[in-house]
Amino acid sequence: MSVIKPFKTKLRNCFLLIGLFFTLIIPLSSNSRNELRISYVMDVHKPYTHLFKVAMKVENVTESHIDVAIPAWMPGYNRIRNFARNIQELKASESNSQELHIIKLDKQTWRVFKGKESTIKLTYKVYANNLHDINIGSHIDETHAFFNGASVFLYVVDAENTPVKLTIKKPKTWKIATGLESSTPSGPFFASSYDELIDCPTEIGDFARFDFLVKEKPHHLVFYGCERIDVSHIKKDIIRIVETCSNLFGDLPYKEYTFIYHLTYRERRSGVEHSNSTAISFNREDFLAGRNYDHFISVTAHEFFHLWNIKRIKPEGWGPFCYSKVPLTKSHWFTEGITSYYTSLILVRAGIWSKEKFYQDLAAKISEFEKKPAKKIMSLEEASLNITLKPDNALDTTISYYIKGAVVAFLLDCEIRKRTSNRRSLDDVLRYLNENYAKKNRAYKNQELLQIINHISESDFSDFYRKYIAGTADIPYQELLQSAGLKLVITEEKLTPYLGIETEKAHDNFAMVKYVAPDSPAYKSGIIEEDILLALNGQRLNFSRWRDLLNMYGDEKKITLTLFHRDRLIEKEVEIKRKTIISFQIQEVDDPNADQLRLRVSLFGLN
């Protein structure tokens, strides 16, 4: 028997294995991607299934395969969402329905092998039935369909810059609201890239819509969850917000803008910014009753201000995006903290809030920050970098760059105005970034923020930056507020019984421990999160009245708590401490000088 034939067979198999290996690991040439044509068809004709049906066509494929993926996160909500979890029934074929081979490479990426044709067709379904988190995902039922593109559209890896076309198949009576461009209201729609496609959330259904113009540019208010509403006062306020922001930056950098509001039963309000639209969730009952209007209009102002600050004025790494991981930056104190400050400031300048309401809002932020145990542990820069991390003891070890960032932004604004005799301000910093970075499609580096502040103020803010942004030094509120003729009034109220726990309502109206403060009486007695409080000194407890009972025994030195501790019925003897309740107020000084008055008038735009 000849040994040559087996040798040749082994050699051929070896080359085949090597070829397969390189096919699997080597990405396609970017040049071959330039000629691709990509289109999607979104079918929402069976909304009761809670499934989006998507067909994707990739034409002019010249390589042996393409890789397709779904993002793990979405810009605007900078947390891992793993959208691949809701993709099902993914199939690939040629135009003659000949099925093509697919292998899954990782949790969110598939490799599709081309057949004889240069066109690859993919079909798949996306499950979307989470109304609670609708603005950071997607939702479809018999009342409407809404999608954020990152959660429903696959992309061709390394072809994210390829223009795409989207066709939506819908019931005849349903309308479409989206930031995507189209020559007709029903499409087809076009985007210059995948980034643009997923940056345009889309509402489909029988929604209420109201239109207005600012500087001859169309704006649309779209409401889901409320059939008949009068939004005349809302429209007036939003027009004021748009005009005020436009006056600050000197432009409206879009052809038209769409506000999408989802009125649901979710208690917490939330919003996500996009380049020419926003998607906002708000409690339906509060909206109908006219409650919490300050929350409604402030989240609207916040997301609209992001149109500049992060969508265009953006830190390094914030696009083009890698959709498998969230980009990191030390600058979220600027992207979110500055925006939170300007949210309140814009409302005053627009005549929606009084400056007294601004003071109340700022004092509430100072109170929230000063009560944080981590205020001496975590800096604003570290909080920015930790955006994707949430420690198990987050309440003890983290701060909010929204809250401290807004406080520091106000104090920074006042200090710039003071050092320049009110010739320059934080407004000028933002305008400089808009003109020299956003309009030139440049991203700023973290260290450049300090350089720009120094340049605008003709002063050195290194010490301010080191202490309050990069560091955890105590903030000298009185000193920094004085330039605006303001003061921080700290009031100590009556002593109250204190155990150091916060509770939430559990089943059968029991009080369940959700937080235990470090070094508190409860902490020292061994009470932990998820303990269920049953009785205090033998008297039954529930969520509604346990604090009242605690106040009854406020003069005692110790109490006995009966609780379920890791499913064991136990008793804990807990020492009662007395805690002084501290409240913060910001007030204007009695006799402000001319410089303080001038600064305050300029700050709020009250000329």
Side-chain angles (χ1 to χ4, degrees):
M1 179 179 177
S2 172
V3 297
I4 296 177
K5 188 174 182 180
F7 174 77
K8 287 183 177 179
T9 301
K10 290 181 180 179
L11 187 63
R12 185 184 67 231
N13 290 340
C14 181
F15 280 120
L16 286 172
L17 288 172
I18 292 172
L20 178 61
F21 172 77
F22 281 105
T23 298
L24 291 174
I25 68 168
I26 297 178
L28 296 184
S29 165
S30 59
N31 292 333
S32 66
R33 300 301 171 85
N34 294 336
E35 304 301 323
L36 293 181
R37 291 173 57 190
I38 301 173
S39 60
Y40 303 85
V41 176
M42 168 76 75
D43 191 335
V44 298
H45 270 107
K46 295 182 179 180
Y48 56 86
T49 64
H50 308 299
L51 291 169
F52 288 100
K53 186 177 179 181
V54 184
M56 178 183 181
K57 183 191 292 186
V58 185
E59 300 177 84
N60 298 335
V61 178
T62 59
E63 304 291 339
S64 62
H65 66 274
I66 59 170
D67 293 343
V68 295
I70 193 84
W73 67 290
M74 60 173 280
Y77 186 79
N78 308 314
R79 306 287 191 279
I80 292 295
R81 296 284 296 168
N82 287 324
F83 294 118
R85 72 189 189 279
N86 289 322
I87 301 291
Q88 64 185 60
E89 301 174 58
L90 175 62
K91 297 178 181 179
S93 67
E94 296 182 299
S95 59
N96 60 4
S97 299
Q98 179 65 40
E99 190 170 340
L100 299 176
H101 182 52
I102 302 177
I103 60 173
K104 192 165 187 177
L105 300 181
D106 57 37
K107 67 177 182 178
Q108 66 196 66
T109 311
W110 296 261
R111 177 155 293 174
V112 184
F113 293 91
K114 184 173 73 71
K116 296 179 181 180
E117 300 181 358
S118 61
T119 296
I120 294 177
K121 294 183 177 180
L122 298 106
T123 60
Y124 58 95
K125 296 175 183 177
V126 183
Y127 184 73
N129 191 28
N130 186 354
L131 190 60
H132 183 76
D133 289 331
I134 183 171
N135 60 321
I136 56 174
S138 298
H139 182 260
I140 179 171
D141 65 12
E142 65 280 1
T143 64
H144 82 139
F146 171 81
F147 62 81
N148 273 300
S151 67
V152 295
F153 294 124
L154 295 173
Y155 63 92
V156 179
V157 177
D158 294 330
E160 292 90 332
N161 291 326
T162 302
V164 300
K165 173 184 174 183
L166 170 63
T167 301
I168 297 175
K169 295 182 177 181
K170 62 176 182 61
K172 288 184 178 180
T173 58
W174 283 11
K175 299 168 289 187
I176 301 174
T178 181
L180 291 169
E181 289 197 6
S182 175
S183 58
T184 66
S186 58
F189 302 93
F190 299 90
S192 62
S193 65
Y194 181 81
D195 286 358
E196 183 180 323
L197 174 69
I198 69 169
D199 198 26
C200 296
T202 300
E203 174 70 23
I204 311 166
D206 188 21
F207 48 77
R209 171 175 157 169
F210 307 88
D211 302 324
F212 61 88
L213 293 173
V214 174
K215 293 190 175 179
E216 299 183 352
K217 293 191 175 183
H219 297 72
H220 316 290
L221 306 180
V222 172
F223 290 87
Y224 161 76
C226 199
E227 295 74 24
R228 296 180 181 179
I229 51 176
D230 178 10
V231 298
S232 54
H233 70 292
I234 295 174
K235 186 162 72 170
K236 289 179 182 177
D237 284 347
I238 294 176
I239 289 174
R240 292 173 182 172
I241 290 170
V242 174
E243 291 174 338
T244 304
C245 289
S246 175
N247 292 337
L248 171 60
F249 288 101
D251 64 352
L252 290 175
Y254 49 78
K255 293 181 179 179
E256 58 185 287
Y257 192 93
T258 302
F259 298 86
I260 300 175
Y261 295 98
H262 292 112
L263 306 177
T264 71
Y265 290 96
R266 181 181 182 181
E267 291 297 324
R268 182 175 172 268
R269 68 191 187 279
S270 65
V272 177
E273 72 277 358
H274 299 277
S275 292
N276 63 3
S277 59
T278 181
I280 293 171
S281 294
F282 196 76
N283 182 265
R284 184 175 185 271
E285 299 304 319
D286 284 347
F287 184 86
L288 293 176
R291 294 189 296 262
N292 295 326
Y293 183 71
D294 284 343
H295 293 168
F296 174 86
I297 204 65
S298 63
V299 72
T300 298
H302 184 99
E303 302 309 331
F304 189 74
F305 195 83
H306 270 315
L307 176 70
W308 290 272
N309 194 20
I310 204 172
K311 293 308 296 183
R312 289 168 175 85
I313 301 170
K314 53 191 176 185
E316 187 177 34
W318 225 254
F321 295 112
C322 170
Y323 289 109
S324 62
K325 61 181 180 180
V326 179
L328 299 180
T329 177
K330 291 183 179 180
S331 301
H332 279 308
W333 71 270
F334 194 90
T335 65
E336 292 292 356
I338 296 287
T339 299
S340 292
Y341 163 53
Y342 271 90
T343 295
S344 305
L345 191 60
I346 290 296
L347 292 176
V348 179
R349 291 179 180 177
I352 299 169
W353 278 13
S354 65
K355 55 187 174 66
E356 286 73 25
K357 183 165 286 187
F358 176 91
Y359 298 152
Q360 293 172 9
D361 181 74
L362 182 62
K365 288 182 170 69
I366 292 173
S367 177
E368 184 173 344
F369 168 66
E370 287 297 326
K371 291 176 182 177
K372 283 285 186 181
K375 67 178 182 177
K376 297 293 291 181
I377 299 174
M378 177 174 280
S379 70
L380 275 173
E381 286 194 337
E382 186 181 357
S384 298
L385 273 178
N386 277 27
I387 189 169
T388 60
L389 301 177
K390 185 177 180 180
D392 291 342
N393 60 341
L395 291 174
D396 298 331
T397 58
T398 63
I399 64 166
S400 167
Y401 48 70
Y402 288 87
I403 300 300
K404 185 182 180 182
V407 173
V408 168
F410 173 68
L411 300 175
L412 174 62
D413 195 4
C414 290
E415 188 66 12
I416 293 173
R417 292 172 183 272
K418 174 187 174 183
R419 295 189 191 184
T420 62
S421 299
N422 207 38
R423 291 181 294 105
R424 296 292 183 90
S425 69
L426 199 52
D427 291 1
D428 296 293
V429 173
L430 287 165
R431 283 192 283 259
Y432 182 92
L433 284 163
N434 191 44
E435 292 296 325
N436 295 280
Y437 286 81
K439 290 185 178 181
K440 296 179 181 179
N441 200 27
R442 295 171 57 200
Y444 61 81
K445 297 179 181 179
N446 180 66
Q447 62 269 26
E448 288 182 305
L449 289 176
L450 175 58
Q451 296 169 7
I452 293 167
I453 292 168
N454 289 344
H455 170 71
I456 293 297
S457 66
E458 299 176 350
S459 178
D460 186 0
F461 272 82
S462 299
D463 190 57
F464 184 102
Y465 200 100
R466 176 181 58 81
K467 287 180 177 178
Y468 314 125
I469 297 170
T472 59
D474 290 334
I475 299 175
Y477 295 106
Q478 303 294 15
E479 174 188 337
L480 295 172
L481 288 170
Q482 189 177 15
S483 60
L486 302 173
K487 60 183 178 180
L488 184 67
V489 178
I490 304 175
T491 305
E492 294 186 358
E493 299 181 3
K494 64 179 182 179
L495 295 173
T496 60
Y498 172 70
L499 301 182
I501 59 175
E502 294 179 13
T503 62
E504 61 184 357
K505 192 173 183 179
H507 61 280
D508 294 333
N509 203 29
F510 284 119
M512 183 174 73
V513 178
K514 71 172 183 178
Y515 173 67
V516 183
D519 296 323
S520 64
Y523 182 92
K524 292 177 180 178
S525 72
I527 293 175
I528 62 174
E529 285 83 357
E530 298 187 1
D531 281 354
I532 303 293
L533 304 182
L534 302 175
L536 190 159
N537 286 356
Q539 295 191 59
R540 181 180 177 181
L541 288 178
N542 59 43
F543 177 75
S544 306
R545 66 190 290 262
W546 84 267
R547 290 189 182 278
D548 293 335
L549 273 177
L550 178 62
N551 288 330
M552 287 175 55
Y553 291 95
D555 294 332
E556 304 289 332
K557 292 184 177 180
K558 293 182 179 181
I559 58 170
T560 299
L561 284 176
T562 305
L563 47 87
F564 277 123
H565 179 88
R566 293 175 180 157
D567 295 331
R568 291 175 54 240
L569 183 65
I570 64 171
E571 288 187 346
K572 291 280 188 181
E573 191 174 66
V574 186
E575 184 180 4
I576 296 182
K577 293 287 187 179
R578 304 295 184 273
K579 184 177 182 179
T580 303
I581 298 176
I582 298 176
S583 62
F584 295 86
Q585 287 182 305
I586 290 179
Q587 297 179 359
E588 297 179 352
V589 298
D590 293 333
D591 298 307
N593 59 41
D595 289 339
Q596 291 171 327
L597 278 175
R598 192 179 302 111
L599 189 155
R600 195 190 304 156
V601 168
S602 175
L603 176 74
F604 293 125
L606 302 175
N607 296 325

